[in-house]
Amino acid sequence: DLFELAMLDSRSVTPEFEKFSLAELIHDVVQEFELQAREANVTLEVGPPDKAVSVYADISLIQRVLENLVGNALRYSDGRPVKLCAECHESSTILRVRDQGPGIPPAFREKVFTPFFRLENSRNPHTGGSGLGLAIARQLCDFYGWDIRLGDAPDGGLEVILTITPTPAGSQSDA
């Protein structure tokens, strides 16, 4: 993780852009976690159902962001359900990752994007982690010009809101 963060900081990463289905990638990431932990209770909603959003980006970089977000949600939800909602629009896709864990107090919501920062008092210290996952996710989002924010989930816990917009080098469209 540290090496990856250093590479992102130095802009040594050369993305390989390709067009792919965002919904399919989200589904693949969810399946990956389902296979890792049979008790994982992850649901996925993509809507509206008549839109299949394609993104032009480096699929491995987006996958890294999604794996960090879903992995964190599962790690801190303490076995409670995790919900992913993707809202497909003409010019963007909004992905919401919601857990029912302890959440993150508003005063720390920007600090958790700082490398090595961890909330040991409100997060379970037995869950491990280096404090780099959200820092890497933020760096990748900044690279693409996307927005990542943290808020309160409707049913308690944390909601991560990722707004994916087209990159200048490509486009996002309904297929």
Side-chain angles (χ1 to χ4, degrees):
D1 284 347
L2 186 57
F3 177 73
E4 186 174 4
L5 189 64
M7 294 295 288
L8 291 169
D9 274 342
S10 69
R11 298 286 187 215
S12 297
V13 174
T14 304
E16 296 182 22
F17 288 92
E18 61 184 288
K19 189 174 182 176
F20 60 90
S21 166
L22 183 62
E24 286 179 23
L25 177 62
I26 293 168
H27 183 267
D28 290 347
V29 169
V30 169
Q31 286 299 107
E32 190 177 307
F33 282 99
E34 288 283 352
L35 293 174
Q36 288 177 4
R38 294 273 184 229
E39 71 277 358
N41 186 3
V42 181
T43 59
L44 171 62
E45 295 178 5
V46 178
D50 60 331
K51 294 191 182 219
V53 175
S54 295
V55 176
Y56 185 77
D58 187 311
I59 193 168
S60 66
L61 297 180
I62 293 178
Q63 184 169 351
R64 177 71 163 137
V65 172
L66 295 175
E67 288 171 348
N68 281 338
L69 299 181
V70 174
N72 279 349
L74 288 169
R75 182 178 298 129
Y76 298 114
S77 68
D78 203 23
R80 291 182 291 261
V82 171
K83 186 174 187 179
L84 281 75
C85 304
E87 302 166 14
C88 307
H89 303 282
E90 292 291 326
S91 61
S92 68
T93 295
I94 299 172
L95 177 66
R96 298 173 190 277
V97 180
R98 297 174 176 155
D99 68 48
Q100 294 179 19
I104 297 176
F108 295 105
R109 289 185 183 156
E110 276 304 308
K111 289 182 180 186
V112 296
F113 291 109
T114 304
F116 305 111
F117 184 85
R118 290 184 42 89
L119 287 173
E120 294 301 335
N121 292 334
S122 65
R123 296 286 188 157
N124 184 344
H126 303 292
T127 57
S130 60
L132 290 174
L134 286 176
I136 290 170
R138 167 63 64 85
Q139 287 250 337
L140 289 170
C141 289
D142 288 349
F143 175 81
Y144 282 111
W146 300 340
D147 183 54
I148 185 169
R149 293 179 281 123
L150 305 178
D152 294 323
D155 297 326
L158 185 70
E159 177 179 58
V160 180
I161 304 161
L162 173 63
T163 303
I164 299 171
T165 53
T167 60
S171 65
Q172 178 172 307
S173 63
D174 297 331

